[in-house]
Amino acid sequence: MFKINQSSLLTTTSLVLAVEVMLFSGTAIAHGRDHNACRIVVSSSSQLNDSITNQACENKVIILLPGVYKPTAAVDAADVEPRNKTFAIKYNMKLMGFGHFTKLSGERGNPSLAEDNIRHVVTINNLSNVTLSLMTIQGGYEERYNPPANHEIQGAGVIAQFSKLTLNRVVVLDNYCRGGAVAGQGTDLVVKKSIFKNNVGFLQGGAISVGDNDGLNSGEGSLLVSDSVFVDNTSGSLGGAIEAYRLDSTIRDSYFSGNTAVYLGGAISLFAGGYQELHNTIEGNIFKNNSAVLGGAIGLANQATTTINRNEFINNTATGEFGTHAGGAIVMFGSYVEQMDGNYFDSNSSILPEAAQHIQCLSSAVIADDITDNVFINPGISPYGVLCSF
């Protein structure tokens, strides 16, 4: 079973990042452009903004020296609202920092007033292929529920539309918006060896929200998460850490702890939207101390096929406040589990009274074609504390 330690991940990143940057960028790093490699080194917010918008070369690599970088311009040059400034990426590129020594920050104005922060720290569109690595993204704040014309309201840290985005060893923290500190629409999102902490999606996906939430991409896009940490993220409805809608999702070898959703999926909510051909894979993860009304760790909905193998579910809780199916570890609505093998369930609870109505709970019915070698310990306050499906 894969186990990940948050502090060791940060420490390891700090130790190796300087060596990696030197190997990647050559033995000498200097300000300016390396014309042979289309490689740019920046040390200020204005330099970063200019390098991002410069069209002189494609597939550029921008190396961010240690420091705090804040957006200096809006997507639309005519937009004079200070909070609409963003690092607007419209071309293929890689941004590479020095781990926690490099920060992309939405903080501005009064540092104690989050409502004064930048709405979206990074904005990616125009079919771009972008990689962000070895940096922290923090402090985006978008309080609006309904978007004004030509504005997006998800992705306070990063919003990517119809693009490919890779996050590699990135720390994402203290972002607030309707959905997703990192949000993707019609986007292939890859997250590896990254940490998400203290992010809030007041509607869905505290850390990550991907898919067709606003009717834009008709099920396009995908999600791949691996070797990452999600701690203390919150959603006002779906997916305390991750919410994915109408796309294929793979989530493996990651750690989820202390994430909370008001409604479905304390750590993860995957909603197929009636697309029966979609497939979810959840394997090798640890889910500990997550909570939601339905599905303390995971909520699955609306007809996708899912594989759930080799995960640990420990002390997750479903409150079942709506008087319906709870599932301390997992709850499924019209979804099909193709395989559930080698999982470990310990002390997951539904706090609904035992007299509540549950259908096809694991304590009384088989909910998958292939269920083998799962371990159940201390199944919870009620016999429905582990998994429910209907």
Side-chain angles (χ1 to χ4, degrees):
M1 175 63 66
F2 171 86
K3 294 183 182 294
I4 189 165
N5 183 285
Q6 305 166 57
S7 60
S8 65
L9 179 59
L10 284 170
T11 302
T12 302
T13 297
S14 301
L15 290 174
V16 304
L17 60 90
V19 175
E20 288 193 356
V21 171
M22 293 297 290
L23 291 173
F24 188 81
S25 58
T27 56
I29 296 179
H31 292 278
R33 180 188 299 275
D34 179 342
H35 291 278
N36 294 327
C38 198
R39 188 175 300 132
I40 305 167
V41 180
V42 301
S43 60
S44 70
S45 300
S46 59
Q47 287 178 354
L48 177 57
N49 187 75
D50 292 345
S51 300
I52 286 173
T53 57
N54 192 315
Q55 302 182 46
C57 62
E58 295 185 4
N59 300 308
K60 69 184 75 173
V61 176
I62 302 175
I63 299 172
L64 288 70
L65 296 180
V68 179
Y69 297 81
K70 299 182 179 182
T72 60
V75 174
D76 182 354
D79 189 344
V80 297
E81 165 58 51
R83 293 188 61 208
N84 290 341
K85 293 179 180 179
T86 185
F87 290 118
I89 300 177
K90 300 180 180 179
Y91 314 106
N92 299 342
M93 65 184 69
K94 297 179 180 179
L95 275 62
M96 187 175 186
F98 278 74
H100 66 265
F101 298 107
T102 301
K103 294 180 173 63
L104 304 186
S105 176
E107 296 175 353
R108 59 173 298 278
N110 186 343
S112 64
L113 186 64
E115 292 85 349
D116 196 37
N117 286 6
I118 295 294
R119 290 192 166 101
H120 307 279
V121 180
V122 179
T123 301
I124 301 168
N125 54 30
N126 200 36
L127 301 177
S128 303
N129 186 344
V130 176
T131 297
L132 305 177
S133 61
L134 293 167
M135 64 182 64
T136 296
I137 301 171
Q138 65 184 43
Y141 192 96
E142 169 59 281
E143 74 284 0
R144 295 174 294 188
Y145 185 88
N146 294 310
N150 301 318
H151 285 273
E152 184 48 53
I153 56 173
Q154 295 178 228
V158 183
I159 172 65
Q161 295 176 300
F162 310 103
S163 300
K164 179 176 180 179
L165 170 62
T166 300
L167 301 182
N168 181 21
R169 279 184 278 188
V170 173
V171 177
V172 183
L173 75 158
D174 298 332
N175 298 281
Y176 176 96
C177 65
R178 191 179 81 167
V182 174
Q185 295 175 340
T187 290
D188 294 318
L189 175 61
V190 177
V191 177
K192 49 189 177 181
K193 297 181 180 178
S194 294
I195 297 175
F196 293 77
K197 182 176 175 62
N198 290 338
N199 300 288
V200 176
F202 62 80
L203 183 61
Q204 71 248 356
I208 294 174
S209 179
V210 289
D212 187 19
N213 295 302
D214 293 311
L216 293 177
N217 67 358
S218 301
E220 298 175 359
S222 62
L223 173 66
L224 172 59
V225 175
S226 63
D227 303 303
S228 294
V229 173
F230 297 82
V231 177
D232 297 336
N233 301 286
T234 303
S235 167
S237 181
L238 307 174
I242 297 175
E243 179 263 345
Y245 181 72
R246 298 210 314 188
L247 46 72
D248 291 321
S249 300
T250 298
I251 301 168
R252 61 164 60 103
D253 298 333
S254 295
Y255 178 80
F256 296 83
S257 178
N259 303 287
T260 303
V262 171
Y263 180 54
L264 178 67
I268 297 172
S269 171
L270 305 179
F271 191 83
Y275 279 65
Q276 298 184 29
E277 68 275 16
L278 296 180
H279 190 274
N280 305 313
T281 299
I282 303 171
E283 61 183 15
N285 305 285
I286 298 173
F287 298 92
K288 186 175 182 180
N289 298 328
N290 304 284
S291 65
V293 170
L294 302 172
I298 297 173
L300 306 173
N302 209 214
Q303 300 180 356
T305 299
T306 302
T307 298
I308 304 175
N309 291 338
R310 298 181 293 102
N311 303 280
E312 293 185 12
F313 297 88
I314 303 171
N315 200 36
N316 301 286
T317 303
T319 63
E321 293 170 5
F322 300 140
T324 185
H325 313 79
I330 304 170
V331 70
M332 299 185 296
F333 295 84
S335 294
Y336 170 66
V337 174
E338 183 177 41
Q339 187 179 58
M340 181 182 290
D341 292 349
N343 298 285
Y344 176 84
F345 297 86
D346 186 355
S347 301
N348 301 283
S349 299
S350 162
I351 64 174
L352 275 175
E354 294 183 10
Q357 294 297 310
H358 294 260
I359 302 175
Q360 293 185 1
C361 288
L362 193 62
S363 58
S364 60
V366 173
I367 49 77
D369 282 350
D370 184 1
I371 298 183
T372 58
D373 298 326
N374 297 285
V375 177
F376 298 90
I377 299 175
N378 301 321
I381 295 173
S382 85
Y384 316 108
V386 179
L387 187 151
C388 288
S389 173
F390 72 99

